[in-house]
Amino acid sequence: MRRDTFLRSMAALAAAGVLPLSARAAGANLKMMIPANPGGGWDRTGRALGKALQEAGAGSVSYDNKGGAAGAIGLAQFVNASKGDPNALMMMGAVMVGGIITGKPPVNLSQATPLARLISEYQVFVLPAESPLKSMKEVIEQLKKDPGSVKWGGGSRGSTEHIAAAMIAREVGADPSKINYVAFRGGGEAVAAVLGGNVTVGGSGYTEFGEYIATKKMRPIAVTSPTRLKGVDAPTLKEQGLNVEIGNWRGVYGAPGISAEQRKALTELVVKATKTKAWAQAVEANGWTPALLAGPEFDAFVDNEFASLRAVMAKAGMI
């Protein structure tokens, strides 16, 4: 068959909706729901994935930021507006799992289609540069005296930094239910709150605070990882006598109601995207830890995360 005849045939098949699924996924114009405001971890990860998807063969990627309620607002829009759409994607992760546990929204992740876990990231706690407090030890001393006087700023309720703050309170004998946690809809808002001195302690992934730590506008005082993070001059919470270790992870889901074949094609495209140069550069630049998991293994992982996070949050007095 001549090339021009072949291309016309493929175009006709696409118009008729009978183009093979793998071919449709590779050249599709994808729509990415980012259930958070611009400037945060989900936004950064979603846009990095979009660039990698295009390198992997996607025709184009458009983005829709919809922040609030630990991603539940974006999730609701995604579930209600994207049913059966094989070109719709949504960022998600540990924050959404925690938010669903605490907020009990009317929509649930089980209504959408799991595709893959992408990366993991530990959190860093920082103080504003002008803070009278200089260390996590001093924060804890104030926390013991008056839990409500320490204003913790971070992502949505149920986020990993929120859970970590509650775990810290429990570790030092303070009532976790009395901590003063201020939830922000995106990383940009959390950064502004720390820089403005509107919170006592800020918590987030290092990539959101990194440039401000480098310019001495924020002082890192602890990380939630098991060992110190490369490039972060701050001890772990465990080094400081606190048995607290918690990591964040981010993944991607497809729309509700897509077929098994459509799910397979989307998953294969996402996996292919994680092998591109664009994705490798994003992982390196942001200090992410690759954590690819797809298929039934990812389904089981999400189920286990709901169970384990619920147990941790119950122990920390959050639910």
Side-chain angles (χ1 to χ4, degrees):
M1 182 183 292
R2 289 177 51 186
R3 184 174 182 272
D4 58 344
T5 304
F6 171 76
L7 292 175
R8 285 198 300 271
S9 299
M10 292 292 280
L13 286 168
V18 294
L19 189 64
L21 285 162
S22 58
R24 266 189 276 162
N29 296 318
L30 303 173
K31 296 168 285 187
M32 177 88 69
M33 164 59 71
I34 300 176
N37 286 358
W42 273 340
D43 185 62
R44 188 176 289 107
T45 309
R47 291 175 190 274
L49 178 62
K51 184 176 179 181
L53 285 165
Q54 287 184 281
E55 187 175 320
S60 68
V61 182
S62 60
Y63 306 93
D64 185 9
N65 287 83
K66 190 70 62 175
I73 293 175
L75 172 62
Q77 179 175 312
F78 184 74
V79 165
N80 293 327
S82 302
K83 188 173 183 180
D85 186 347
N87 296 330
L89 299 171
M90 180 190 69
M91 295 306 304
M92 52 75 66
V95 172
M96 185 176 284
V97 173
I100 288 172
I101 293 170
T102 58
K104 300 179 177 66
V107 293
N108 204 298
L109 267 174
S110 61
Q111 294 170 262
T113 305
L115 297 178
R117 184 184 68 186
L118 300 169
I119 54 100
S120 64
E121 182 179 37
Y122 288 100
Q123 311 304 103
V124 57
F125 283 111
V126 300
L127 297 171
E130 304 303 319
S131 172
L133 304 175
K134 304 300 179 187
S135 65
M136 181 58 79
K137 180 181 178 181
E138 293 183 12
V139 170
I140 289 170
E141 288 172 356
Q142 185 171 322
L143 184 69
K144 287 179 177 178
K145 293 176 185 175
D146 180 6
S149 69
V150 177
K151 187 181 291 187
W152 304 82
S156 303
R157 293 189 61 80
S159 64
T160 47
E161 54 266 31
H162 184 195
I163 296 170
M167 292 172 73
I168 290 169
R170 184 178 181 278
E171 278 288 302
V172 302
D175 185 348
S177 67
K178 293 183 179 178
I179 66 169
N180 185 358
Y181 185 81
V182 182
F184 294 101
R185 290 164 63 94
E189 292 182 9
V191 165
V194 175
L195 294 178
N198 297 318
V199 296
T200 312
V201 186
S204 188
Y206 178 72
T207 52
E208 293 178 27
F209 289 161
E211 64 178 287
Y212 306 101
I213 292 172
T215 55
K216 309 296 185 184
K217 294 178 180 178
M218 295 180 184
R219 181 185 301 114
I221 57 172
V223 291
T224 66
S225 50
T227 58
R228 293 199 181 201
L229 297 179
K230 181 181 177 181
V232 186
D233 185 20
T236 67
L237 288 167
K238 285 193 171 183
E239 281 183 73
Q240 302 182 68
L242 302 168
N243 188 28
V244 176
E245 177 188 324
I246 186 169
N248 191 9
W249 58 269
R250 300 187 190 109
V252 61
Y253 265 49
I258 60 175
S259 69
E261 292 82 4
Q262 289 168 333
R263 177 185 182 183
K264 182 175 183 290
L266 268 181
T267 302
E268 288 175 350
L269 182 59
V270 169
V271 171
K272 184 178 178 182
T274 65
K275 298 176 181 178
T276 62
K277 183 177 180 180
W279 183 251
Q281 289 173 338
V283 168
E284 175 68 23
N286 289 287
W288 295 331
T289 300
L292 182 64
L293 193 67
E297 293 82 6
F298 180 51
D299 297 9
F301 171 79
V302 174
D303 289 342
N304 290 336
E305 275 291 285
F306 269 105
S308 61
L309 273 181
R310 187 176 283 109
V312 167
M313 293 163 82
K315 189 175 180 180
M318 294 177 64
I319 55 174

